[in-house]
């Protein structure tokens, strides 16, 4: 019924044409069948758009609004928000009662400019507009639709607000212009994404999508209005074809036990039995997750039930539910695993647990909620319920069983939930609450900032919802916010913002701040002395109630008694909410009354039950004591500090020996820092970590305050690894940290201290290094636990008493009390005069260092990271006019010098200048011209360069985007002049450009985010600080490790292995994800085999990681029996590991083969495996299920390359080891033939017309050479190839095995008759998928057709062209005899417009083309022997069968080339193609140029084969190749 109602308006809209005019809708057929809608426009007005393009945006909005009004009338209401760096409401739904007011506002709307914070804009829209107070009719069931328009990548995250909109049932259309990022548009858009994402190349092109957008939006409104009726009808009918994807995640640990597992299994069986149309996957978890089967492993309920019955207990002492949830989110709901989220099928997870999780469930829980997975739980035993309630979508979705005896009977309770998901009656929807009538009050939220991003974001959401309910204003309710860890920080004053919109926007900027300890007492004092003041907005003197809500998850490190009493004396109503490690007794001291203490298991519960705190915050009143606040206290941390002067470097073990115990190490260091007076003239702190190699986190002069040190310490992340080179790390600290340039004050006689913290045994020499530190006056302390060698560490410490060892890491924080006294009193042997101190300086330390940094608008939000990066690079350098000189230049369209090499003479001057840098700005990057400027200007003698004095010249280029101009030539000129460039690419920078800029690949660095620049800085310091002689050695080296690899996956596609394909696909996807896929680095091919082998794609087919992932996801089981593994290996050797297929074997690139098989081969693998090894291929043999160990052993290059697994699901367990090998250095030389007893000899003969007369002489020469050879299969092999304008193989190496056969074949050989390509005429028909799903890709299709036509020789007696478009039915745009010139054809193609329509009937289209286009009356010359070609461009699986029409075309001799996208059915595409090799695939239609040459080459080849020509006899026996 619903579909029938939608046809009329959609057809009416599809007939509209928009050519500068507003589409006019038939008044009798409104676009949404009389249904209302609230439509919100969120429009990007950032600097990258510009005033001129903003006019097009305005016209677009005007046209869309007017068109929607014509269709929906006054039932459609509109709101508009502009956003850039901050959002701004233009008008709300309730602002204008008539269309005139809306259109008038759009016409007068001004351009704002700024950054691009789309996430903030979405968040603002949710908070400020999607509520009843702003006119939203969501509560009345009115459809809510958002249209987002943006022209670039957001500077913040869009995922979280997009998920909120999705869960609230809001439909989002994402419109991208120019540089908008496709994946980000898809992140925002509703499902199906193809129908909700619109992309155009320019702002003028916006007019072209108006009609499609209006159609889509009206369709959504119609569907939203019809859904409840349709749902009701389904319920009355007692079911139907509703479906869902359900994953059962079952506790397989000892919490369940082997005896109780059958009862849990029975529950799973009852769930499966209850529904016929639900797909099911099962995962067991204990120490780790074990996937039993995927959503697409079984196609029938009976098969699923058999699989569930076969489940066996796994066991395990741990129940890591968190890891299992992450695995489910990452692998089980993907399209390749059978997930149908993109088809709109609900996704559900049922967790059956018998005990609390032994790991953190946060990450997996967030990922599942972000993916809109509805999570239920069955908790066995009381301890389990709380944990599952946190994971579940709603608390009510968790069912509790007192014991295992009652578990199996819970199926009847669960089925209504499962049915509700499938029928769509269970959805997740956010509520938008009406404002409350509340009296005057000042409310301050005091938040523990150490609770982590997830909790802080939830609390921030709670505050936003609270504010939405309050009458905010200077005469009503005022709200302030502060955060604290060891010190407090003001976020929002009571009088900062007078409206909800402004407050919500500011609240969105609050971020969690890391830390390990909290000083609640100091934080309460901070609120009292800094926020409860009249000048800060407090109305305490007016008798307005003052409320402070403390929210914390930790016990305070300082006393809360006096600060709490001081607030109570003022009459402040303090509420205290705690979770996790918060001390309830402490909170009772803080709260105004014990009734105002709230202990929560998780603050996220407030989003489900906000009244718990909203009620007291909005109703409490009290007598306000007019005692004023005390004077402002400068120092808010109350921890006792010691007056000492020291330079202290902490050297922390970053290996796996510390691992999860990092929290105790961090707490130990935090305790020490808190007790020290950290400032430049007292105690300075530096930090390093080490494992196999050392890494500096920050220098002694990097941070000047205790808060800065603690914040940096909180961000410490371990490097990992199992090798501990402790001695090397200590020596590195001596050479690099205890130096004046790094902040050391040893020249001034300040005691130097090294605190070594380790958990593992040193694996190098430490005693001698420790002695060297002592001789240098460095006092060494050791703090250790775990597997550290206590005896050795006592020899490392300055004296044995300074070595502190604990059995457990949890005891490390207590070491603080013991170590503090010797730390501040003991001194080393520093009785040397100043003249005796020899500073370690780099010989020949002079160098010129120039920074060329991105100064465009794209890095505005990250410019602070860039400045910090520069400072950290230059910190260890000895800056001076006669030492190291520094320059900084910004660039965008043009370079802008900030200062030259000879501008500043001291490090302090340079650092001040860098800190004072302001972004130059600009829309795009011309890095090439900036490099030329650096060469000609900055690195010239006039501006301070000392190149003429042989001082090393360094240039560090940092960019966050792709350059519009060429960088290779300017970079080459710099290198020729002796400059050493380093390239640092971030975010959208082009890695190829970064590599081209850099001196060599080792000097090129790429990171995803600016916050990751610290990892680059360490490496740059190493290079820039090298002595000149060592520097010369490094510059002469090349990157020998090499990332180039050619990898071929050969997978078993036989019937026996069908169920293992999802696991194989996931294995390949993860491998691809972890490799550097690029045409110049790693290439991938996939071959599937059963009785024969099929190349799915070659090494040179796909050039990007994305394209390969899409291709792998669409891989389907080949089917067939028997399994011929030997033939498959031979096929790969002869057809895939070849230059033609993209192999770089001859260039010395390692060749790697992965054979994944599920059973025994029917043929022998010996010969093919031996030849693969002779070729130098690294062959991995991975057997699963029924594979034969002996067979695998013969295939594998060595035993370390052999894996025999019990099940396909075990594949992922070996992935890490395999990846480590692939990424390791591989020694391989280009092949050379040294065995004189074996030769493969090719005769390449000139067969052109010019050699026709001399061809008998050539033939005689070949015969005489062959006579001298020892022709045999195991000795000499011979092949002959003739060439003219094309090449033709006369016979291959394996065609003949005896000398006589070769001579017989060579004797009658004649030069081929060559047909000139100009005479190779053809009839070409393009069949284009014009269905609803290809709207966005249609411009790319027409562009591709134009490109191909450009290569044809169009004319009435030459090539002829026709174009047909199809969807549900077909339309001929022009026939083969319609146009006679190329220009006419191209003009017609440029005028093509997308038709739309559904379903997609490809079979009918093929039949139509055969019957109506490939006919003489339509211009076909098939009866004259002219080749007939059909080029099909397809984007989806056909609704009808293609088998019969495809066969009919082949019988007629039509050569069908089928090009499909990721949405196409690959098996269907191969069926339609004249030959399977004529089936080509791309990820998106925009990738069509990637297969253009392949298509044209195939067309040329088949034309040459089919043109009538005099047959040439080439011998008795000839290979078909």
């Amino acid at each position: 019924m619903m579909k029938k109602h939608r046809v009329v308006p959609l057809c009416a809209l599809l007939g509209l044409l928009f050519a500068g005019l507003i589409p006019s809708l038939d008044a009798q057929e409104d676009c949404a069948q009389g249904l209302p809608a609230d439509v919100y426009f969120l429009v990007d007005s950032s600097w990258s758009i510009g005033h001129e393009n903003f006019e097009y945006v305005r016209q677009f909005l005007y046209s869309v609004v007017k068109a929607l009004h014509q269709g929906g009338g006054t039932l459609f209401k509109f709101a508009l928000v502009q956003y850039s760096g901050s959002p701004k409401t233009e008008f709300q739904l309730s602002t204008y009662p008539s269309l005139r007011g809306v259109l008038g506002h759009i016409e007068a709307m001004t351009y704002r400019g700024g950054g691009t914070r789309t996430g903030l804009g979405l968040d603002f829209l949710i908070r400020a507009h999607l509520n009843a107070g702003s006119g939203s009719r969501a509560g009345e069931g009115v459809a809510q639709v958002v249209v987002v328009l943006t022209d670039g990548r957001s500077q913040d995250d869009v995922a979280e607000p997009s998920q909120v909109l999705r869960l609230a049932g809001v439909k989002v259309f994402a419109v991208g212009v120019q540089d908008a990022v496709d994946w980000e548009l898809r992140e925002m858009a509703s499902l199906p994404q193809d129908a909700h994402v619109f992309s155009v190349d320019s702002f003028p092109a916006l007019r072209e999508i108006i009609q499609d957008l209006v159609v889509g939006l009206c369709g959504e409104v119609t569907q939203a209005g019809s859904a409840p009726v349709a749902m009701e009808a389904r319920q009355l009918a007692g079911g139907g074809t509703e479906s869902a994807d359900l994953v059962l995640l079952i506790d397989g640990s000892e919490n369940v036990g082997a005896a109780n597992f059958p009862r849990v299994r029975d529950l799973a069986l009852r769930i499966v039995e209850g529904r016929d149309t639900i797909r099911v996957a099962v995962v067991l978890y204990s120490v780790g997750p074990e996937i039993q089967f995927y959503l697409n492993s079984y196609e029938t309920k009976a098969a699923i039930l058999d699989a569930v019955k076969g489940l066996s207990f796994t066991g395990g002492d741990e129940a890591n539910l968190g890891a299992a949830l992450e695995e489910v989110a990452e692998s089980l709901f993907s399209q390749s695993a059978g997930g149908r989220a993109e088809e709109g099928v609900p996704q559900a997870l049922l967790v059956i647990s018998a005990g609390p999780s032994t790991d953190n469930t946060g990450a997996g829980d967030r990922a599942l909620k972000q993916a809109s997975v509805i999570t239920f739980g069955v908790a066995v035993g009381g301890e389990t319920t709380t944990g599952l309630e946190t994971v579940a979508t709603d608390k009510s979705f968790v069912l509790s069983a007192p014991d295992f005896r009652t578990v199996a009977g819970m199926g009847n309770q669960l089925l209504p939930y499962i049915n509700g998901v499938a029928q769509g009656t269970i959805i997740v929807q956010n509520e938008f609450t009406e404002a409350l009538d509340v009296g005057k009050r000042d409310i301050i939220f005091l938040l523990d900032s150490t609770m982590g991003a997830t909790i802080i974001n939830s609390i921030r959401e709670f505050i936003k919802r609270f504010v939405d309910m309050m009458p905010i204003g200077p005469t009503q309710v005022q709200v302030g916010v502060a955060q604290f860890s060891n010190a407090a920080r003001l976020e929002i004053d009571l009088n900062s913002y007078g409206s909800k919109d402004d407050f919500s926007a500011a609240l969105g900027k609050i971020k969690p701040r890391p830390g390990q300890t909290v000083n609640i007492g100091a934080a309460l004092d901070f609120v009292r002395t800094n926020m409860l003041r009249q000048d800060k907005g407090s109305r305490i003197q007016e008798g307005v109630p003052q409320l402070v809500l403390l929210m914390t998850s930790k016990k305070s490190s300082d006393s809360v008694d006096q600060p709490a009493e001081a607030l109570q004396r003022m009459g402040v109503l303090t509420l205290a909410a705690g979770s996790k490690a918060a001390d309830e007794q402490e909170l009772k001291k803080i709260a105004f009354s014990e009734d105002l203490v709230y202990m929560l298991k998780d603050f996220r519960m407030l989003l489900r039950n906000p009244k718990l705190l909203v009620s007291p915050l909005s109703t409490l009143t009290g007598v306000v004591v007019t005692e004023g606040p005390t004077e402002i206290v400068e120092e808010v941390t109350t921890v006792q500090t010691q007056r000492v002067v020291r330079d202290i470097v902490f050297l922390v073990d970053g290996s796996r020996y510390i691992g999860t115990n990092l929290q105790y190490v961090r707490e130990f260091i935090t305790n020490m820092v808190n007790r020290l007076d950290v400032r430049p003239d007292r105690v300075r702190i530096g930090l390093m970590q080490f494992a196999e190699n050392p890494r500096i986190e920050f220098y002694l002069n990097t941070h000047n305050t205790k808060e800065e040190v603690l914040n940096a310490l909180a961000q410490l992340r371990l490097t990992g690894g199992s090798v501990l080179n402790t001695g090397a790390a200590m020596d590195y600290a001596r050479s690099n940290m205890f130096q004046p340039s790094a902040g050391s004050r040893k020249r001034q006689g300040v005691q130097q201290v090294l605190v070594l913290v380790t958990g593992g045994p040193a694996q190098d020499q430490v005693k001698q290094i420790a002695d060297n530190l002592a001789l240098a006056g460095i006092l060494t302390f050791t703090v250790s636990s775990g597997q550290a060698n206590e005896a050795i560490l006592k020899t490392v410490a300055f004296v044995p008493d300074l070595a502190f060892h604990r059995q457990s890491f949890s005891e490390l924080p207590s070491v603080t009390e013991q170590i503090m006294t010797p730390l501040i009193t003991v001194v080393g042997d520093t009785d040397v005069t100043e003249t005796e101190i020899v500073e370690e300086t780099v010989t020949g330390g002079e160098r010129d260092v120039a920074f060329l940094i991105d100064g465009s608008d794209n890095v505005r939000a990250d410019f602070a990271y860039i400045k910090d990066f520069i400072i950290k690079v230059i910190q260890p350098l000895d800056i001076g006019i006669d030492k190291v000189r520094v320059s900084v230049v910004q660039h965008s369209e043009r370079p802008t010098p900030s200062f030259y090499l000879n501008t500043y003479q001291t490090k302090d001057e340079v650092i001040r200048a860098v800190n004072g840098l302001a972004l130059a700005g600009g829309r795009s990057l011309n890095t090439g011209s900036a490099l030329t400027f650096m060469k000609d200007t900055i690195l010239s003698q006039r501006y301070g360069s000392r190149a003429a004095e042989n001082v090393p010249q360094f240039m560090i280029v940092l960019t966050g985007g792709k350059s519009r101009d060429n960088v290779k030539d300017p970079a080459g000129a710099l290198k020729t002049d002796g400059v050493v460039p380093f390239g640092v690419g971030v975010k959208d920078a082009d890695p190829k450009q970064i590599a081209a800029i850099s001196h060599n690949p080792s000097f090129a660095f790429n990171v995803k985010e600016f916050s990751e620049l610290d990892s680059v800085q360490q490496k740059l310091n190493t290079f820039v600080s090298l002595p000149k002689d060592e520097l010369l050695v490094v510059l002469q080296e090349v990157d020998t490790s090499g990332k180039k690899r050619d990898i071929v996956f050969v997978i078993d596609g036989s019937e026996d292995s069908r169920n293992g394909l999802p696991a194989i696909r996931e294995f390949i996807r993860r491998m691809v994800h972890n490799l550097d896929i690029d045409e110049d680095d790693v290439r991938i091919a996939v071959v599937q085999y059963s009785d024969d082998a099929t190349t799915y794609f070659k090494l040179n087919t796909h050039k990007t990681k994305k394209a390969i992932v899409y291709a792998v996801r669409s891989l389907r089981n080949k089917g067939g029996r028997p399994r011929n593994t030997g033939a498959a290996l031979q096929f790969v050797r002869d057809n895939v590991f070849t230059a033609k297929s993209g192999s770089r074997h001859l260039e010395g690139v390692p060749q790697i083969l992965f054979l994944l098989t599920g059973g025994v081969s029917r043929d022998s693998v010996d010969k093919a495996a031996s030849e693969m090894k002779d070729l130098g291929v690294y062959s991995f043999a991975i057997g699963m299920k029924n594979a034969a160990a002996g067979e695998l052993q013969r295939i594998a290059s060595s035993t370390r390359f052999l894996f025999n697994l019990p099940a396909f699901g075990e594949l992922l367990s070996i992935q890490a080891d395999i990846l480590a090998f692939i990424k390791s250095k591989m020694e391989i030389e280009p092949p050379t033939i040294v065995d004189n007893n074996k030769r493969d000899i090719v005769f390449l003969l000139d067969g052109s017309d010019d050699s026709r007369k001399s061809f008998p002489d050539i033939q005689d020469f070949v015969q005489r050479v062959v006579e001298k050879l020892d022709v045999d299969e195991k000795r000499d092999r011979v092949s002959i190839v003739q060439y003219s304008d094309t090449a033709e193989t006369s016979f291959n190496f394996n065609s003949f095995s005896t000398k006589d056969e070769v001579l017989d074949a060579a004797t009658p050989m004649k030069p081929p008759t060559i047909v000139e390509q100009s005479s190779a005429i053809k009839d070409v028909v393009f069949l284009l998928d014009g269905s609803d799903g290809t709207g966005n890709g249609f411009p790319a299709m027409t562009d591709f057709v134009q490109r191909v036509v450009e290569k044809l020789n169009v004319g009435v007696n030459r090539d002829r062209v026709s174009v047909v478009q199809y969807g549900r039915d077909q339309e001929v745009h022009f026939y083969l005899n319609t146009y006679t010139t190329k220009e006419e054809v191209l003009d017609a193609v440029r005028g093509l417009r997308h038709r739309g329509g559904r379903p997609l009937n490809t079979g009918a289209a093929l039949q139509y083309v055969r019957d109506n286009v490939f006919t003489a009356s339509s211009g076909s010359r098939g009866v004259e022997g002219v080749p007939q070609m059909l080029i099909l461009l397809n984007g989806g699986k056909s609704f009808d069968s293609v088998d019969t029409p495809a066969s009919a075309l082949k019988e007629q001799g039509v050569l069908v080339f089928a090009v499909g996208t990721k949405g196409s059915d690959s098996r269907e595409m191969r069926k339609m193609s004249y030959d399977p090799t004529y089936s080509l695939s791309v990820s998106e239609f925009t990738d069509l140029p990637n297969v253009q040459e392949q298509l044209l080459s195939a067309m040329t080849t088949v034309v040459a084969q089919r043109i009538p020509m005099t047959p040439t006899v080439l011998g008795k026996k000839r290979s078909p190749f």
Side-chain angles (χ1 to χ4, degrees), residues 260 262-271 378 380 401 403-414:
N260 293 316
R263 289 174 170 150
V264 175
R265 186 172 56 208
D266 287 345
L267 173 61
L269 286 169
R270 293 199 181 189
I271 293 167
V378 173
V380 185
D403 53 49
F404 286 98
R405 289 174 296 176
T406 59
V407 167
M410 299 185 72
N412 293 333
Q413 294 175 258
L414 279 169

Side-chain angles (χ1 to χ4, degrees), residues 406-535:
T406 59
V407 167
M410 299 185 72
N412 293 333
Q413 294 175 258
L414 279 169
L415 281 177
Y417 290 98
I418 306 300
N419 293 338
V421 172
Q423 295 172 352
T425 58
I426 291 182
I427 57 173
V428 182
Q429 189 164 11
N430 285 9
E431 296 180 0
F432 300 95
T433 312
E434 297 285 349
L436 298 174
D437 184 15
V438 179
K440 291 182 181 180
R441 57 197 52 239
D442 295 337
I443 303 172
I444 294 174
F445 291 90
L446 181 57
L447 312 179
D448 174 352
S449 66
T450 69
M451 293 187 287
T454 301
I455 300 301
I456 290 294
N457 288 341
S458 298
I459 292 176
R460 190 176 63 188
E461 172 70 15
F462 166 75
I463 297 173
K464 284 182 179 178
R465 295 187 184 184
F466 173 77
V467 169
D468 283 342
M469 293 186 284
M470 295 294 111
I472 299 296
T475 61
Q476 299 178 82
V477 176
Q478 297 185 147
V479 178
V481 180
Q483 288 196 91
F484 68 95
S485 53
N486 62 299
R489 174 190 178 93
L490 175 67
E491 299 291 352
I492 300 173
D493 264 321
L494 289 166
N495 57 0
S496 293
Y497 303 103
S499 71
K500 295 180 183 180
D501 289 358
D502 293 340
F503 182 90
S504 295
L507 190 61
K509 299 176 182 178
I510 294 178
K511 304 296 180 188
R513 301 187 178 277
Q516 292 299 308
T517 58
V518 295
N519 292 322
I520 299 176
L524 293 171
D525 274 340
F526 177 87
V527 170
R528 179 173 57 84
T529 58
N530 291 277
M531 297 184 74
L532 295 175
R533 300 168 56 87
Q534 189 172 0
D535 59 330

